[in-house]
Amino acid sequence: MTNQPAPDPHAPELFTWEFATNPYPAYAWLREHTPVHRTRLPSGVEAWLVTRYKDAKQTLADPRLSKNPAHHDEPAHAKGKTGIPGERKAELMTHLLNIDPPDHTRLRRLVSKAFTPRRVAEFAPRVQELTDHLIDQFAGKGEADLIHEFAFPLPIYAICDLLGVPREDQDDFRDWAGMMIRHGGGPRGGVARSVKKMRGYLAELIHRKRQALPDAPTPGEDLISGLIRASDHGEHLTENEAAAMAFILLFAGFETTVNLIGNGTYALLTHPEQRHRLQTSLAAGETGLLETGVEELLRYDGPVELATWRFATEPLTIGGQHIAPGDPVLVVLAAADRDPERFTDPDTLDLARRDNQHLGYGHGIHYCLGAPLARLEGQTALATLLTRLPNLQLAQDPAELRWRGGLIMRGLRTLPVEFTPIEPLRPPGQR
């Protein structure tokens, strides 16, 4: 990377455990003093951090910034430092987070059919069923870890149902996903091994579904069958593309929702006046505050801290800073969504906030495809928790909670809570 400013001795230290607990003061400093900031990441890769809302929105939509890691000026992507560990060796690179138009346009068009508002609405009863089932598992205990017992399994089972993973295989997916979400917290190489196992399973599942695919699509056909059908009807979707697409929908579709539910519940439990407003609204049968509230939780402490990798394909300027070809650029969504130039009182949680064009799910052609499903899961999870467990409260001092150390996602490791025990809605063992 060239033409770099001298480091500011007053700049905050980034990517420490203290920073992970509350990065917002550091991001406020960067927005004010060095809004497009060059830093060395924990992996050793040097990248630009974009922190102001206006710059962030423009950067996310700039076609001169490629998603393809082949444009990086270093071979770091080949060492697994700029993407998902193990995805290259597992031949899972050709997914929406790593490609540009026209391939991106073609693949996104194929898979977008699974996430239409109508399809997501049809899936709502299943999400409610899963939500109630998971709460039933701990309802009688009076305590739970809401990350491991609720926020984590809910989106895993939901996305498995959408993909068409048989129920008897879904617990394997839960185990693999659990290893992937730990990042550095599991055994060395565990993430790459889980990716490899998932790749092998998806290849076998795609083959089995191809063999049994009926001539005409059935109502509510699962996503993998839809991808196979498209590939068999002139859309030129290869088996590797189908496997990579299924993989990234699972990978990108579960951790964001885990963090939305976890961060959102934590924010409500630490802002009792906002939590009371929402519970009162839900008790009255209203949905408006729930809908604006989930958007505010996405803005205030969203599940995705930094947007995924982008690489300059030609010289360009962002926020007055020269970016050289090959330079990696990371948009800090968490910083942009607290920018006082865009949001009034940005550090205040206001569930009724209306002017809330946050960047929590990105912007431009790479806007999160699964956002409608994530919103449905977030709204269902939070509403059901607050309704069924009305006196839910933290069982640990907030200062003792630990946040996962990762570059892209922001989420709690655990969220211990306590509440008055209740009876389950249905007998144990039913799902």
Side-chain angles (χ1 to χ4, degrees), residues 257-308:
T257 308
V258 174
N259 294 346
L260 169 57
I261 297 170
N263 298 4
T265 303
Y266 173 73
L268 291 172
L269 295 181
T270 53
H271 292 79
E273 72 293 341
Q274 294 292 313
R275 177 252 190 94
H276 177 71
R277 288 177 67 189
L278 182 54
Q279 284 182 304
T280 301
S281 173
L282 292 170
E286 300 166 355
T287 61
L289 191 63
L290 176 64
E291 292 169 1
T292 60
V294 166
E295 297 310 304
E296 175 68 347
L297 294 169
L298 284 162
R299 182 202 68 82
Y300 180 78
D301 198 8
V304 184
E305 190 167 347
L306 281 73
T308 49

Side-chain angles (χ1 to χ4, degrees), residues 2-143:
T2 58
N3 191 29
Q4 311 306 334
D8 189 320
H10 303 293
E13 190 173 2
L14 306 178
F15 309 118
T16 64
W17 288 113
E18 294 77 13
F19 170 83
T21 299
N22 181 16
Y24 296 103
Y27 288 149
W29 191 95
L30 293 179
R31 274 197 314 267
E32 181 177 355
H33 297 282
T34 172
V36 181
H37 178 74
R38 174 182 175 253
T39 189
R40 183 179 294 274
L41 304 173
S43 64
V45 175
E46 293 185 353
W48 294 99
L49 303 181
V50 180
T51 57
R52 287 181 178 169
Y53 182 92
K54 181 179 178 181
D55 296 335
K57 193 170 183 179
Q58 292 176 348
T59 300
L60 291 171
D62 195 324
R64 297 171 296 177
L65 289 163
S66 171
K67 298 292 292 175
N68 188 339
H71 289 289
H72 193 187
D73 67 346
E74 299 177 12
H77 64 277
K79 300 176 183 177
K81 292 184 177 181
T82 62
I84 301 168
E87 64 177 356
R88 179 174 296 277
K89 288 185 178 180
E91 296 183 318
L92 291 170
M93 291 291 291
T94 52
H95 57 67
L96 291 176
L97 297 186
N98 283 341
I99 58 175
D100 304 313
D103 285 337
H104 176 271
T105 308
R106 174 175 62 91
L107 293 179
R108 187 177 175 101
R109 184 181 66 249
L110 290 176
V111 77
S112 64
K113 299 170 187 175
F115 295 101
T116 62
R118 178 179 176 181
R119 182 73 184 273
V120 170
E122 291 172 349
F123 199 56
R126 177 58 180 156
V127 172
Q128 184 66 63
E129 180 185 359
L130 286 169
T131 300
D132 282 320
H133 166 76
L134 291 168
I135 293 177
D136 282 350
Q137 303 308 295
F138 56 77
K141 296 190 302 179
E143 61 181 16

Side-chain angles (χ1 to χ4, degrees), residues 311-323:
F311 306 93
T313 59
E314 60 184 81
L316 68 148
T317 300
I318 303 174
Q321 177 62 58
H322 172 71
I323 309 296

